[in-house]
Amino acid sequence: MSVAVSKGAEALESLSQSDDSRCIENPALNGPSTTPSYQQLPEHRAAHSPRVDDTTCSHNPEPSVSSVFSSPFSNLQLADQHEAKAVERASPQGDSPTSPDALKPHVRSELPHPSPYQQLKRHSREIRILCLLPGLYKDPIRGYLRTANLDDNPHYEALSYVWGDPLICKTSFIDKQPIDVTINLFLALRRIRHRRRGRHIWVDAICINQSDDIEKTHQVNLMRHIYPNTAHAILWLCEFSHNYSFGSDNVLPQETFESAFDLIEIMAEGGHFYPTDPSKTYRIDNQRVDALSDIMNLSWWHRIWTVQEAVLPGRASIRCGSIQLDFSVFLTALFRTRVHLRQQCCGNLKILNSFWSTAGPLARLKQNAPSPISFIYSLHQFKARLASDPRDKVFALLGLGGTAISANYELPLYKDVILSLVHGLIVESKEIFVLLRTAERNRSPDLPTWAPDLCAELDLTTQGYIGQMGRFAKYRYYNAAAGTLAETGDTGSESLLALQGLVVDEILEIGKCYDDVDQTLEVTAEWRNVMIQAREINYGTYPRGGTYEQAFWRMMATGIEWSPNFKASCEVPRSYGGWFFVTRNGLIGVCHSKVEVGDAVYVLLGGRMPFVLRPSKGHEESIKSPCYEYVGQTYVHGFMDGEVMREGREPQWITLV
C-alpha cells in the first residue's frame, strides 16, 4: 500500500482503553498530507490479551439508567452463570468463542423469544439506545436496552448497515434474552464493540420493536432527529472475506479496501488521473480503480434507507472490517475529481463513473439543508435504490425534508402512501413539483396516472435515467405559471386530483422518440421535417417571435445553455429521450413521456413547466370539470416564462384521474 496502514494492531489491542470509534480527521480539507485518512483498527483477537470476563467487573446484574449514560460501563456485569447457560441453550451447534462452528448462521427460529422491549411513550421523543457490552472478537454479542429522550440530548452513535437476508440469522443477547439478528448486523456489532468498555449505539433492528407497527411508525418519524443528533454515524459496508465467507455477495478481501482507500486519499489530495501533462506525478492504476468499483457495488450503496443515514449525521465514518475512513474524506475526493473533469487536465475520467453516480447524489444532499424540494428530488434521484417494503421508498427519505407526510405503517398499501404523499406536498408547498417524473416502465396499475410510481422500472443508462435527473435539476430555471400558487379541489376521492390551469394548445403532429445517440443527426432532420410539414412553413416566423430555426435549436437544448454554436457542439442535446411535437397553432416542444395526437398542453398553477395531459373519457357523470390523464412535464418554446398567465384568461379547474 502507498499509505501507512498501522502495523501495530497487536499493540493497540493491548491498550486497556482501546477506542476504535476514533478515526483520523480528513487531511484533504486542509491541504495534502502524508498522514493516512483511514486507519487499521485493532483486531479483537483472544490471542492478543486475556479474555475479559465477569471477574473484571462488579456484580450489578442490571445497570441503572444513570450509569449507562454517564459511565464507561465500568460498573456493568458482562456475564454471569445464568447468561452462560443461556448461551449454551441457544447454541446447540456449538456457537462458542472457540468452537469451529462459531460463525455458522442459522435459520431464524419460528419460536418466539421473550421480548426485551418496554413500551415507549408514543407522544414524546423517546428512543431506545443499545448499550453494547465489551467483548473479544468471537464472544457472543451482549447488550442492554435503555430508554432515552432526544430532548435530553443523550450521547449515542448510530449504525447504518444493510439488513441482508432476514431468514439467515445469528443469536445475540439483549437484556439477557436471546434475539435473532441478521448476519450483516451481527458482523457489524462484533466489529464495532470495544474490548474493555461499552458503546452506546442506536441500531434500528434492535432499538425498534419490529413486530409493533405503531412503534415503527413513531420511531421512523423520529429518524429525522435521531441521525442529526448522533455523535457519530458508523456506515458499515461489509466484513473481510477471509473472516467470513457466508453470504459472499456482501464481503470483500481486505486488500480491496486498502487499495480503494489509497485511491480515495490520492483523489482527496487533488491527485491527477492519467494526466495529459507529463509533469504531473500521480497515475492511477487499474487495480485501485477496480477496487473502488467493487466497493461501490456493495449493497449498502444501493439500499434506500442508507441515504438519510449517510446525509443527516454531522460526522460519519465508513467502516469495512477493521478499516475505517472518515466520510468527509470520501466526499472531498468526489468534489476534487470533479474539478479535474471541468479543467480537462486528465484523461480517461470515465473510469470513475460508478463512483460519481453513486456517491455524487449523497454529496449534493449534504451540501444543502433538508427541504421539501430536496426531499422530492431525492424521491426520484434514489428510485433505483432497493427497499424490502415499497412504502419505504417514501418513509426512508422523510428526514431529507418530507415534513408534509408522516411515516404510517398502518397504511397497508403502497398506493395509499403515494397518494398521501402527493396531496400532502402540494398542500404544504403550494407547488406541483411532485408531479414531475422520470420515464417509468411497467407502472403499477393501481396508481392513478398523476401519481409517480417510485417502484417502476428505470432506464439506468447514462443517457437514460441519469440524463433525465439532470433535466430534473433544471426545473427551477423555468417559470411557466409565473409564481402562482397551487390549490387542490375537493374531489371526494383520494384517487382524483383537482387543480387549476390554462390550456395552451393541442398536439397536432409527433416526431419519433430520440432514444439513440448514434442517430442524433437523423432524428434532428426528421423532427425538422415534421415541423415544416405540419405548418407548411420554411424558416418562417415563430408564433412567439423569432424564427423557427431559432426556436428549434432552443427547443433541442430545452432553452438552457443554448448558443449560436449549439448546432455544431458534440454534446448530446437535452431533448434526448423525448418526443417532439407540433401543436395546432404552430408551437413546438418536447416531452419526455410518450405523447399522442390530441393531447393537450396545460400550464397548471404552481408549476414551473407546462404539462401534457390526455383527455379522459368515462368520468363525465360524476365529475363536473374536464378530466385528463397525466402524461408528463414538457418544454414548449415560448411558454416557459409565464407568457400564458399574462394573457388575462381565468384559470379553470380540471381533474386528473
Side-chain angles (χ1 to χ4, degrees):
M1 293 182 297
S2 65
V3 294
V5 179
S6 172
K7 297 181 180 179
E10 292 83 357
L12 287 172
E13 185 68 15
S14 66
L15 296 177
S16 61
Q17 291 295 328
S18 173
D19 184 0
D20 58 13
S21 70
R22 292 176 295 178
C23 67
I24 297 174
E25 296 299 327
N26 176 13
L29 298 181
N30 297 312
S33 170
T34 57
T35 305
S37 299
Y38 72 92
Q39 73 183 110
Q40 175 76 52
L41 298 173
E43 297 276 2
H44 295 185
R45 303 298 185 188
H48 297 158
S49 65
R51 177 177 173 176
V52 177
D53 57 25
D54 58 356
T55 64
T56 64
C57 302
S58 60
H59 292 273
N60 298 322
E62 295 291 339
S64 67
V65 174
S66 61
S67 68
V68 167
F69 293 103
S70 62
S71 72
F73 280 76
S74 59
N75 296 321
L76 297 183
Q77 179 180 15
L78 300 184
D80 56 22
Q81 292 181 355
H82 298 291
E83 191 170 22
K85 292 179 180 179
V87 173
E88 295 177 4
R89 290 196 300 270
S91 310
Q93 297 179 342
D95 188 6
S96 69
T98 59
S99 168
D101 291 329
L103 298 182
K104 188 174 182 179
H106 65 264
V107 177
R108 181 186 293 275
S109 171
E110 297 299 327
L111 297 176
H113 298 308
S115 173
Y117 297 108
Q118 300 295 322
Q119 185 169 335
L120 298 171
K121 296 177 182 178
R122 301 287 166 77
H123 300 291
S124 72
R125 300 210 305 166
E126 276 193 348
I127 63 172
R128 297 186 190 93
I129 295 176
L130 170 63
C131 306
L132 184 61
L133 292 174
L136 300 179
Y137 184 75
K138 289 186 178 180
D139 287 349
I141 301 295
R142 297 184 178 93
Y144 296 95
L145 287 176
R146 290 296 175 260
T147 299
N149 194 308
L150 289 172
D151 292 334
D152 297 330
N153 297 317
H155 176 84
Y156 61 93
E157 298 172 278
L159 178 65
S160 173
Y161 67 104
V162 173
W163 280 33
D165 190 336
L167 299 178
I168 309 299
C169 303
K170 288 280 292 179
T171 299
S172 298
F173 297 88
I174 306 300
D175 286 319
K176 299 189 179 182
Q177 300 295 333
I179 68 168
D180 290 333
V181 299
T182 61
I183 290 297
N184 209 33
L185 176 54
F186 174 83
L187 296 174
L189 293 176
R190 187 175 65 178
R191 275 291 189 185
I192 68 174
R193 67 176 167 185
H194 298 311
R195 286 188 60 252
R196 289 182 171 82
R197 61 185 180 83
R199 195 166 193 174
H200 306 158
I201 303 286
W202 189 89
V203 49
D204 55 1
I206 294 177
C207 296
I208 300 175
N209 184 353
Q210 299 295 325
S211 64
D212 185 341
D213 280 350
I214 296 178
E215 180 175 302
K216 283 171 62 178
T217 294
H218 174 252
Q219 293 291 287
V220 169
N221 284 318
L222 285 179
M223 285 185 185
R224 70 184 73 207
H225 307 293
I226 291 173
Y227 283 100
N229 287 296
T230 184
H232 173 229
I234 305 163
L235 313 180
W236 171 261
L237 299 193
C238 75
E239 181 57 278
F240 298 149
S241 55
H242 66 264
N243 284 338
Y244 199 83
S245 60
F246 186 86
S248 57
D249 60 331
N250 205 42
V251 295
L252 286 174
Q254 180 173 345
E255 295 76 14
T256 297
F257 294 108
E258 291 171 348
S259 294
F261 287 0
D262 280 343
L263 174 56
I264 291 171
E265 278 193 296
I266 294 172
M267 293 191 297
E269 293 175 358
H272 289 265
F273 308 85
Y274 302 105
T276 54
D277 181 352
S279 65
K280 305 299 183 183
T281 56
Y282 286 122
R283 291 182 62 83
I284 305 307
D285 59 81
N286 290 332
Q287 178 184 352
R288 287 171 172 167
V289 173
D290 291 343
L292 181 57
S293 295
D294 288 342
I295 287 181
M296 303 313 297
N297 284 330
L298 289 170
S299 54
W300 186 89
W301 299 100
H302 304 285
R303 302 295 297 188
I304 193 67
W305 279 105
T306 58
V307 174
Q308 68 174 12
E309 294 167 4
V311 170
L312 295 180
R315 176 173 173 254
S317 298
I318 294 176
R319 183 71 182 265
C320 310
S322 60
I323 297 179
Q324 184 164 288
L325 171 73
D326 196 293
F327 194 46
S328 64
V329 180
F330 202 89
L331 300 180
T332 300
L334 187 141
F335 290 129
R336 291 192 172 176
T337 53
R338 288 288 191 183
V339 173
H340 294 280
L341 182 65
R342 290 194 300 269
Q343 294 179 347
Q344 299 182 346
C345 58
C346 299
N348 199 26
L349 287 182
K350 290 183 178 179
I351 60 175
L352 298 175
N353 275 344
S354 64
F355 175 60
W356 287 335
S357 62
T358 304
L362 297 179
R364 286 190 291 271
L365 280 175
K366 283 194 74 70
Q367 287 182 305
N368 302 302
S371 69
I373 296 298
S374 293
F375 170 60
I376 297 170
Y377 183 81
S378 297
L379 291 173
H380 294 275
Q381 177 70 68
F382 300 106
K383 281 171 67 174
R385 292 205 174 206
L386 303 176
S388 301
D389 185 334
R391 297 173 295 180
D392 289 340
K393 287 293 189 98
V394 176
F395 296 160
L397 301 176
L398 291 177
L400 303 178
T403 56
I405 181 175
S406 298
N408 184 2
Y409 284 98
E410 294 182 277
L411 288 176
L413 300 177
Y414 165 69
K415 171 186 175 181
D416 297 332
V417 174
I418 295 297
L419 299 189
S420 297
L421 168 75
V422 176
H423 282 287
L425 283 171
I426 293 176
V427 170
E428 179 192 55
S429 67
K430 303 298 182 183
E431 294 188 13
I432 56 174
F433 183 34
V434 67
L435 296 185
L436 270 68
R437 67 179 60 162
T438 55
E440 299 172 342
R441 301 173 179 174
N442 297 325
R443 277 177 52 86
S444 168
D446 295 331
L447 291 174
T449 62
W450 49 267
D453 187 355
L454 303 178
C455 296
E457 295 179 15
L458 304 174
D459 175 6
L460 295 179
T461 63
T462 300
Q463 294 301 335
Y465 177 67
I466 297 174
Q468 292 179 51
M469 287 309 304
R471 290 187 292 272
F472 226 82
K474 305 302 180 184
Y475 176 75
R476 66 184 185 276
Y477 293 132
Y478 306 122
N479 192 24
T484 55
L485 302 180
E487 294 184 20
T488 58
D490 183 9
T491 63
S493 171
E494 286 290 310
S495 294
L496 301 175
L497 179 63
L499 298 169
Q500 297 178 80
L502 291 170
V503 64
V504 175
D505 210 344
E506 178 184 335
I507 293 178
L508 177 67
E509 296 287 345
I510 300 170
K512 65 183 294 187
C513 180
Y514 176 22
D515 58 1
D516 188 342
V517 176
D518 293 333
Q519 296 183 356
T520 298
L521 296 179
E522 291 85 346
V523 171
T524 300
E526 192 264 354
W527 283 10
R528 287 166 59 84
N529 287 335
V530 169
M531 175 182 70
I532 292 170
Q533 292 173 10
R535 296 301 301 157
E536 296 181 352
I537 56 175
N538 190 4
Y539 306 110
T541 301
Y542 187 70
R544 306 302 299 180
T547 67
Y548 269 95
E549 176 78 358
Q550 293 170 333
F552 183 83
W553 290 110
R554 287 271 188 178
M555 181 215 64
M556 289 294 289
T558 58
I560 298 173
E561 297 179 5
W562 180 89
S563 71
N565 295 324
F566 180 85
K567 292 181 291 182
S569 74
C570 297
E571 296 182 4
V572 177
R574 295 184 181 276
S575 50
Y576 178 85
W579 280 262
F580 172 73
F581 61 82
V582 182
T583 70
R584 289 195 177 278
N585 292 318
L587 302 174
I588 61 174
V590 61
C591 180
H592 287 86
S593 299
K594 188 174 182 179
V595 297
E596 297 178 0
V597 172
D599 287 349
V601 178
Y602 263 85
V603 170
L604 300 175
L605 270 61
R608 290 181 170 271
M609 295 183 73
F611 293 86
V612 174
L613 308 177
R614 186 164 298 149
S616 179
K617 305 296 182 182
H619 301 275
E620 292 82 356
E621 295 182 1
S622 58
I623 303 175
K624 302 297 183 182
S625 59
C627 294
Y628 292 93
E629 297 178 7
Y630 178 92
V631 176
Q633 66 272 15
T634 183
Y635 176 90
V636 180
H637 188 67
F639 280 91
M640 303 302 295
D641 195 28
E643 291 85 351
V644 72
M645 306 306 299
R646 294 191 286 270
E647 292 178 354
R649 290 187 286 152
E650 188 70 21
Q652 67 173 137
W653 284 98
I654 63 169
T655 300
L656 301 181
V657 299

